[in-house]
Amino acid sequence: MAYQKITGEILEALKLIVGDNAVITDRADLQPYSHDETEDLSYYPEVVVKPQTPEQVAAVMKLCNEKLIPVTPRGAGTGLSGGALPIMGGVLLAMERFNKILAIDEHNLQATVEPGVITEEFINAIAEKGLLYPIDPASKGSCFIGGNVSHGSGGPRVVKYGTIREYVLNLQVVLPNGEIIWTGANTLKYSSGYNLTQLMIGSEGTLGVITKIVVKLIPLPTQNALMLASFGSNEDACGAVSAIFKAGVVPSAVEFMERKGVEWVIKNDGITFDLKDGIEAFLLIEVDGTNLDVIFTDCENINTVLEQHNCKEVLFADTSTQKAELWRMRTTMAVSVKSNSVYKEEDTVVPRAELPQLIKGIKEIGAKYGFESVCYGHAGDGNLHVNIIKANMSDEDWNHKLKDGIKEIFELTVALGGTLSGEHGIGLVQKEFMPVKYSDVHFALWKGIKSTFDRNGILNPGKIF
């Protein structure tokens, strides 16, 4: 596609749509929009545009579609796949001014929000009304709900409550040609033609720009218990995960943490924790509900399973402060890993019973290619984040040989019944590995869908495939 450059005439047209102050061209001001949280990649847009209404988004898209100017939608920039990087230049469409919770419907247990609402702020707002929105990724304090929808984001509690796909009821979307549509209905059931809502979830801003989101809510659990189980090996910890569910218990979270990750959190974040010799892995397990007796019975059953899988010790969090510290140890792990080493993060997911084979294979592949790895993630749903550490790898091997190792990790993941990403998306950095899992038929279907929505290919070009 031969995209066009931004001209003075187009800049003036953009200013007429959103206002002078919402059009940014100064290079220093563009810098924060040139990267996300994906490694150290940087691509500058030609201009950043900050719309505030669906009609403004529609006008920007219509203009860019007519002029063949690439448009990259961006939320908070917390993504880990390069999905918000404007690799073709053009317009970066910053959705930060779409930051309102428009309605909380306590009768129907629904809410309507704009895509620039910070996830944690929304979770807290509905919690005040005794309601729960259980999609809470580690970056919930800064990420936007729109980005969560676009990447199919999750978090620890989807293991009990379901993925984001089960909570998005309806979306208002601006298409690349400037048309505004609602993708579905504000109903719990939907059997009226192709489900465009589900198609938009996880599409990474390649099909349309989300401007309103209707989500389902559920009653807020009033009680919870949190336990930290220690193991002498990664395989023992991962092997216990499937057994917990097989025993008839469905925790609200089962998080895996490798020793090295805990060491780095202690070092970087000042968390006080007695990390004992011989402990190589941890499971952070939460059980919630409304009846403490039922919760404690579940915890006893979990403890029995843990003992059967060579658990060394189980720590029960006694206070809300201790619970918060244990959760902080998990949620700050990505930042701690990033601050300690040059790294690449892969987002593998397999059926949870295959986790022991997955992590064993990852370590073997690392030994073969000369890289280290720190693994953690949402073990309850088989989602393992693999942080590949440069350590003593040469620059030559890191820049060239490493790709072969990553490909082997994905080949192992697929062989175990899994796929390339559970919640981070494909974006820019994973697209070269898509053929490991998907055939020419898949690519033809995807490209056909893309062409139907975006005939001129202007919306977030160069992503996914």
Side-chain angles (χ1 to χ4, degrees):
M1 175 63 67
Y3 297 113
Q4 302 302 307
K5 291 291 188 180
I6 302 291
T7 63
E9 180 184 354
I10 291 170
L11 276 179
E12 290 306 310
L14 291 170
K15 290 176 182 178
L16 284 175
I17 294 169
V18 298
D20 289 5
N21 294 334
V23 176
I24 299 172
T25 56
D26 182 79
R27 188 167 178 85
D29 294 331
L30 294 177
Q31 193 278 332
Y33 298 93
S34 69
H35 63 88
D36 57 9
E37 294 300 317
T38 309
E39 304 159 23
D40 56 355
L41 302 177
S42 180
Y43 296 85
Y44 277 75
E46 295 171 66
V47 58
V48 170
V49 178
K50 299 182 179 182
Q52 197 168 17
T53 68
E55 291 73 24
Q56 288 179 350
V57 174
V60 170
M61 292 308 305
K62 186 173 187 294
L63 173 67
C64 291
N65 194 51
E66 290 173 352
K67 301 296 185 181
L68 297 182
I69 295 167
V71 179
T72 304
R74 179 185 172 98
T78 60
L80 294 165
S81 66
L85 299 180
I87 62 175
M88 303 294 183
V91 170
L92 187 139
L93 198 68
M95 300 299 287
E96 60 206 53
R97 298 169 74 193
F98 281 78
N99 58 5
K100 298 181 184 64
I101 299 173
L102 299 173
I104 299 175
D105 182 348
E106 297 179 66
H107 298 292
N108 288 307
L109 298 184
Q110 296 178 5
T112 303
V113 299
E114 292 183 325
V117 172
I118 293 174
T119 304
E120 188 169 34
E121 291 182 3
F122 177 60
I123 290 171
N124 292 340
I126 62 168
E128 292 177 2
K129 299 180 180 296
L131 299 171
L132 175 68
Y133 173 71
I135 311 304
D136 59 343
S139 59
K140 64 183 177 182
S142 55
C143 66
F144 292 170
I145 290 181
N148 297 164
V149 174
S150 294
H151 285 84
S153 303
R157 293 180 177 87
V158 304
V159 65
K160 177 177 180 179
Y161 293 106
T163 71
I164 196 169
R165 292 187 176 278
E166 297 173 54
Y167 290 87
V168 177
L169 298 175
N170 201 359
L171 296 168
Q172 186 188 64
V173 174
V174 178
L175 299 177
N177 65 2
E179 293 184 69
I180 302 174
I181 66 167
W182 283 95
T183 58
N186 300 359
T187 55
L188 296 176
K189 285 184 173 181
Y190 188 89
S191 183
S192 306
Y194 298 129
N195 194 323
L196 298 180
T197 305
Q198 290 297 314
L199 181 59
M200 291 299 303
I201 299 170
S203 64
E204 303 185 36
T206 61
L207 302 180
V209 180
I210 297 168
T211 49
K212 288 188 179 71
I213 305 165
V214 181
V215 298
K216 178 179 75 173
L217 308 173
I218 57 178
L220 181 71
T222 56
Q223 307 289 340
N224 67 71
L226 187 66
M227 49 206 298
L228 183 71
S230 308
F231 296 84
S233 74
N234 292 329
E235 290 88 345
D236 282 341
C238 289
V241 175
S242 180
I244 291 170
F245 293 88
K246 192 175 178 181
V249 182
V250 181
S252 49
V254 183
E255 297 290 295
F256 172 82
M257 297 180 288
E258 199 172 350
R259 180 188 180 95
K260 177 62 75 174
V262 174
E263 289 176 345
W264 283 353
V265 167
I266 293 171
K267 173 185 172 184
N268 290 330
D269 294 291
I271 291 177
T272 301
F273 182 73
D274 182 16
L275 186 57
K276 296 178 179 177
D277 292 341
I279 300 301
E280 296 299 326
F282 299 88
L283 291 180
L284 185 64
I285 305 167
E286 182 189 81
V287 181
D288 71 5
T290 57
N291 187 314
L292 273 178
D293 290 337
V294 173
I295 290 172
F296 289 145
T297 298
D298 284 345
C299 288
E300 289 172 2
N301 292 335
I302 290 171
N303 195 58
T304 299
V305 172
L306 296 174
E307 290 175 352
Q308 293 168 351
H309 285 79
N310 302 318
C311 179
K312 302 293 186 183
E313 183 181 22
V314 177
L315 169 66
F316 282 87
D318 295 323
T319 65
S320 57
T321 300
Q322 192 176 24
K323 290 175 183 177
E325 279 292 278
L326 291 178
W327 270 116
R328 189 161 75 93
M329 186 162 67
R330 166 62 187 91
T331 57
T332 60
M333 195 161 288
V335 176
S336 296
V337 170
K338 185 175 183 178
S339 65
N340 269 276
S341 175
V342 176
Y343 83 111
K344 292 181 182 291
E345 181 170 356
E346 311 303 336
D347 177 43
T348 59
V349 60
V350 295
R352 58 182 168 235
E354 311 305 326
L355 278 172
Q357 289 178 262
L358 176 63
I359 197 161
K360 180 175 183 290
I362 288 167
K363 299 303 179 182
E364 291 172 349
I365 293 168
K368 175 181 175 181
Y369 285 91
F371 62 79
E372 298 178 13
S373 63
V374 177
C375 299
Y376 53 84
H378 314 306
D381 39 349
N383 188 191
L384 194 67
H385 302 321
V386 183
N387 287 260
I388 298 172
I389 307 302
K390 185 173 186 287
N392 297 320
M393 250 186 135
S394 68
D395 290 344
E396 175 69 18
D397 285 350
W398 180 258
N399 293 323
H400 299 97
K401 186 178 174 182
L402 179 61
K403 286 187 177 181
D404 294 332
I406 293 173
K407 184 179 179 183
E408 283 198 26
I409 289 174
F410 286 137
E411 287 171 344
L412 171 64
T413 301
V414 171
L416 293 173
T419 191
L420 279 61
S421 178
E423 59 182 9
H424 290 170
I426 299 302
L428 173 65
V429 298
Q430 308 299 357
K431 64 179 183 178
E432 67 180 291
F433 301 110
M434 288 287 271
V436 172
K437 169 69 175 175
Y438 298 103
S439 69
D440 290 344
V441 174
H442 290 96
F443 283 97
L445 289 169
W446 288 331
K447 289 178 180 179
I449 292 169
K450 170 70 171 172
S451 178
T452 298
F453 277 79
D454 184 15
R455 186 171 300 279
N456 291 328
I458 65 160
L459 192 53
N460 210 6
K463 309 297 168 57
I464 303 180
F465 49 79

